[in-house]
Amino acid sequence: MRLNLFGKEFHFGRVTEAAYMTDPMGDSGTWQPLGALQYDRSLPKSYMDEASNRAHFAWSTNAFVRRIVEIYVSFIIGGKIAVKCNDPAVQKWVDAFWNDRANRMDQRVREMARGAFLAGELFTIPATNTYTGRVRLGHIDARAVSDIKVDEQTGLEKSIVVYKDNRPTTLLLIHTDDNGTAPQSIPALYAEVAKNRMNTDITKGRLVGQAFYWPFNRPIGAIRGTGDLIPAIDWALGIEQLLWAMQDKAKLANHVFLTLTDEQATASDLADMAKPGSKRFVRKPKVGNVLLQDKNIKWGFINPQLGASDMAEAVRLFRTMVESASGLPEHWFGQGGDVNRATALEMNSPVHKLLSERQNMFRDYLSDLVQYVIDAGLIFTEQLSGVTDFGFDIETEEIAVKDAATASQTLLQTLNSVTAALMSKTITKGEAREILSEAFMKAGYEAISKDMPAELLAEESDPVLQQANNIYASGM
């Protein structure tokens, strides 16, 4: 199969099964473990590198691409991401990492989110000081990673191969040390501390390794992630070319072309008329000159047509492809089209779900990073000794800001319906509690929804109806 991408032709072999018998005709008759990857569904490395280069270039130069990327980054990160730890000692340790001048995580997380969107994967190296346990982040460009090794049994990523000074370097990916073997597998980091603290199991159950690998947009059977802009970048750059073409045509539209028609002239005569120095050469008339003509010679004018409507329709078709690939509706790019406020709110819902899914994924990756920082403190220092609660939470801003007017109207309609249903004995008090609790939660009143069951535990129907009426009145 041949595929033309970015003007280059790529050849792919026949698609085969994901799991198959390793030796169907042999004596062993063994089956390959389903967890192992027999065929990498990742895109070709040369294509991924080209796509990454074009994505970074487009983000720097193309207004459409810049807006798509920054919308995602702004919604995923919001104003600020915070790490809240249950224990003050752990909070102090994490804050020291987060606010380190070399890390500056408030700014770094935005750069990480942007890089993940452009390249589809993040390679992060947490450089760990084996004496102080402090962690400072470094990053590897995805193009520098030539290979990712996977475990033969599970198919999980095990290590990455990075070329530095034209020499391959293998880095073990960060993982949970279930058996406490990190001092032997990564002696440069953990052998000395295990020896000094006389604890061979010091890394057991902790996150250990040399690099993080965080893929995005990765289908089952693929090792590498893919950038979000791959389906959209050519169309976005095409819009830019169309707009430049429109600008050139707009310049031409401000000019008038003068034509001279001689019905008896031959091709040789026309050549003489256009040749400076010849007897029949026709000079360009100046402003204010009088143009003379007879029955054989006529002057005419041509005013170029811009064709703006056709060009605008072409731009819109290209823009539709970009919007479809990015998952963002038209009005998010300042183009109202046929969208009104009601339809815009409905169209926002799937976008918010898409952004929430990406935010949750990014939060999970940050959780791995924070856990590694805490584990480094436990392995290399005594500062967290005595701490029993190492729990923490990654706090991010809400993706969607609730429309208060719409939420209140929906809540009032729900309360009115519940009140009528209770009066007609269509639903029970327990069902009313569940409906009201869910309604308040969806409207953004989580605290009230939690107290709702306790407030509506009365056995008589009148207090229940009175409570619903009170809530209804307060919502007015």
Side-chain angles (χ1 to χ4, degrees):
M1 180 179 68
R2 294 185 301 174
L3 181 63
N4 195 310
L5 298 167
F6 302 148
K8 295 183 179 181
E9 193 173 81
F10 296 88
H11 297 264
F12 299 90
R14 184 175 64 88
V15 177
T16 56
E17 294 78 3
Y20 69 103
M21 186 177 285
T22 57
D23 187 14
M25 303 302 294
D27 296 333
S28 60
T30 58
W31 289 83
Q32 183 71 17
L34 288 176
L37 294 174
Q38 290 302 304
Y39 293 95
D40 184 7
R41 306 294 184 183
S42 305
L43 294 174
K45 181 71 165 60
S46 59
Y47 170 51
M48 291 177 60
D49 290 345
E50 178 70 15
S52 178
N53 290 338
R54 290 171 68 88
H56 283 82
F57 174 78
W59 176 80
S60 302
T61 61
N62 187 279
F64 222 134
V65 172
R66 174 69 71 95
R67 182 171 178 83
I68 292 172
V69 175
E70 295 309 311
I71 283 177
Y72 269 83
V73 173
S74 298
F75 272 86
I76 292 170
I77 304 302
K80 188 176 182 180
I81 288 182
V83 182
K84 299 298 182 182
C85 303
N86 297 340
D87 189 280
V90 180
Q91 185 71 60
K92 182 179 179 181
W93 178 262
V94 173
D95 287 344
F97 157 79
W98 198 267
N99 300 320
D100 191 312
R101 293 187 62 185
N103 293 327
R104 299 184 186 273
M105 291 301 297
D106 287 334
Q107 176 181 345
R108 183 72 65 88
V109 291
R110 301 187 69 86
E111 297 171 353
M112 293 169 65
R114 186 178 297 115
F117 192 89
L118 293 173
E121 48 191 8
L122 283 177
F123 295 91
T124 303
I125 296 190
T128 307
N129 189 312
T130 57
Y131 294 99
T132 64
R134 296 298 182 187
V135 176
R136 288 184 169 178
L137 289 187
H139 293 280
I140 303 175
D141 193 289
R143 294 169 297 178
V145 179
S146 62
D147 193 16
I148 298 179
K149 303 295 184 182
V150 298
D151 187 274
E152 294 181 356
Q153 294 297 320
T154 64
L156 299 177
E157 300 84 5
K158 187 176 181 180
S159 62
I160 61 176
V161 179
V162 181
Y163 269 84
K164 183 178 181 182
D165 299 329
N166 295 325
R167 292 184 301 176
T169 301
T170 300
L171 301 176
L172 192 66
L173 292 178
I174 290 173
H175 61 284
T176 302
D177 189 9
D178 295 323
N179 301 317
T181 58
Q184 292 78 39
S185 59
I186 320 176
L189 268 178
Y190 304 106
E192 186 174 352
V193 67
K195 179 181 178 181
N196 293 339
R197 298 179 68 174
M198 294 182 291
N199 184 359
T200 56
D201 291 335
I202 194 171
T203 61
K204 189 173 183 179
R206 310 292 182 197
L207 286 181
V208 298
Q210 298 167 297
F212 278 109
Y213 172 48
W214 296 322
F216 294 82
N217 304 317
R218 183 175 66 171
I220 294 177
I223 298 176
R224 305 294 295 262
T226 55
D228 291 81
L229 290 176
I230 287 180
I233 187 169
D234 280 338
W235 299 106
L237 295 177
I239 291 175
E240 187 174 341
Q241 294 174 3
L242 285 174
L243 292 177
W244 282 116
M246 287 183 66
Q247 184 186 53
D248 292 339
K249 293 191 69 173
K251 291 179 180 178
L252 290 176
N254 293 325
H255 295 76
V256 175
F257 293 89
L258 183 65
T259 64
L260 176 63
T261 303
D262 188 341
E263 296 181 355
Q264 296 183 349
T266 64
S268 177
D269 294 335
L270 292 177
D272 289 339
M273 295 170 68
K275 184 178 180 180
S278 67
K279 293 182 179 181
R280 302 193 64 182
F281 174 65
V282 178
R283 297 181 180 276
K284 181 177 68 173
K286 297 181 180 180
V287 177
N289 284 5
V290 177
L291 301 179
L292 302 177
Q293 63 184 29
D294 57 22
K295 63 179 182 180
N296 296 325
I297 299 177
K298 297 180 180 179
W299 294 91
F301 301 91
I302 296 178
N303 188 15
Q305 299 298 315
L306 181 59
S309 59
D310 295 337
M311 192 69 76
E313 184 62 26
V315 170
R316 179 162 187 173
L317 288 174
F318 274 55
R319 196 176 66 236
T320 300
M321 294 298 295
V322 177
E323 293 161 358
S324 300
S326 66
L328 303 177
E330 184 180 24
H331 63 278
W332 282 49
F333 295 94
Q335 301 291 328
D338 300 328
V339 180
N340 56 37
R341 188 174 186 275
T343 57
L345 289 175
E346 293 299 323
M347 294 169 67
N348 288 343
S349 180
V351 181
H352 292 159
K353 292 182 183 298
L354 179 66
L355 293 170
S356 297
E357 182 270 336
R358 179 57 62 87
Q359 186 185 68
N360 291 335
M361 182 183 296
F362 197 75
R363 186 191 293 116
D364 291 341
Y365 290 156
L366 287 180
S367 297
D368 291 342
L369 176 60
V370 173
Q371 187 61 58
Y372 177 87
V373 171
I374 295 174
D375 286 349
L378 290 169
I379 293 172
F380 297 106
T381 73
E382 299 284 351
Q383 296 190 35
L384 298 180
S385 59
V387 177
T388 58
D389 188 354
F390 294 96
F392 64 89
D393 184 40
I394 307 292
E395 295 185 351
T396 56
E397 292 186 0
E398 261 189 285
I399 290 292
V401 178
K402 293 182 176 62
D403 187 334
T406 302
S408 298
Q409 184 65 29
T410 303
L411 182 60
L412 293 178
Q413 292 175 355
T414 303
L415 290 173
N416 193 29
S417 299
V418 170
T419 302
L422 281 173
M423 294 180 65
S424 62
K425 297 183 179 180
T426 306
I427 61 175
T428 64
K429 295 190 292 291
E431 292 171 338
R433 289 199 305 269
E434 292 179 3
I435 295 173
L436 291 176
S437 178
E438 184 176 355
F440 272 96
M441 184 174 295
K442 288 183 177 179
Y445 303 102
E446 285 84 359
I448 297 179
S449 68
K450 293 178 182 178
D451 298 334
M452 185 66 68
E455 295 177 4
L456 297 181
L457 286 177
E459 292 297 329
E460 298 81 1
S461 60
D462 289 344
V464 175
L465 295 177
Q466 185 63 45
Q467 179 68 26
N469 287 329
N470 291 338
I471 297 172
Y472 180 90
S474 64
M476 295 293 288

